[in-house]
Amino acid sequence: MLFQNGNLKVRRLEKKDKYLLVKWLSHPTVLEFYEGRDNPFNLEKVEKAFYPPEDSEVRCIVEIEIPKLDIFNFTNWMMTQKMTMDFFKKMFLVLTNLLGK
């Protein structure tokens, strides 16, 4: 763990995270805001982008623990995080699609 503040954690990216990255980076709603919808990531692309063999960079992943994950509670939680409305709208769209409403 590199950093923790309440429910927010920042840790080093681990090999096991590559499957989660493939899931995220191949979802059309996520791709709308990252790389474009016509540029999904597969396992090979994730490994090339995030796990190069001779790499000295420290890559991290952010984890947010949210109690009772449903859209209503998540919306209330997000509103208390002092984030911009634009960011909130994007996150809401992404999570709504990932969670299946």
Side-chain angles (χ1 to χ4, degrees):
M1 184 95 42
L2 298 174
F3 171 82
Q4 182 170 355
N5 186 359
N7 294 344
L8 180 85
K9 299 175 186 174
V10 178
R11 63 172 176 78
R12 289 180 186 264
L13 197 61
E14 299 172 0
K15 283 288 189 183
K16 68 180 182 176
D17 296 321
K18 63 185 174 184
Y19 303 104
L20 185 58
L21 290 171
V22 169
K23 182 178 179 178
W24 288 343
L25 297 175
S26 61
H27 195 282
T29 305
V30 174
L31 290 172
E32 183 179 348
F33 305 102
Y34 185 88
E35 295 284 328
R37 289 185 188 204
D38 60 342
N39 198 13
F41 280 59
N42 57 22
L43 191 56
E44 181 181 340
K45 194 170 178 179
V46 163
E47 286 176 342
K48 185 177 179 182
F50 295 96
Y51 301 95
E54 298 294 325
D55 188 21
S56 61
E57 290 185 29
V58 175
R59 288 178 167 69
C60 300
I61 192 163
V62 175
E63 295 180 346
I64 302 172
E65 191 174 318
I66 304 168
K68 295 174 72 176
L69 183 59
D70 62 48
I71 294 300
F72 178 74
N73 286 329
F74 181 77
T75 303
N76 288 338
W77 178 83
M78 286 290 289
M79 294 301 267
T80 66
Q81 300 305 304
K82 298 181 182 173
M83 297 177 180
T84 65
M85 187 54 71
D86 187 52
F87 176 80
F88 171 73
K89 288 177 185 176
K90 289 177 184 177
M91 285 298 296
F92 185 79
L93 284 172
V94 169
L95 284 169
T96 299
N97 284 307
L98 288 175
L99 294 173
K101 300 177 186 177

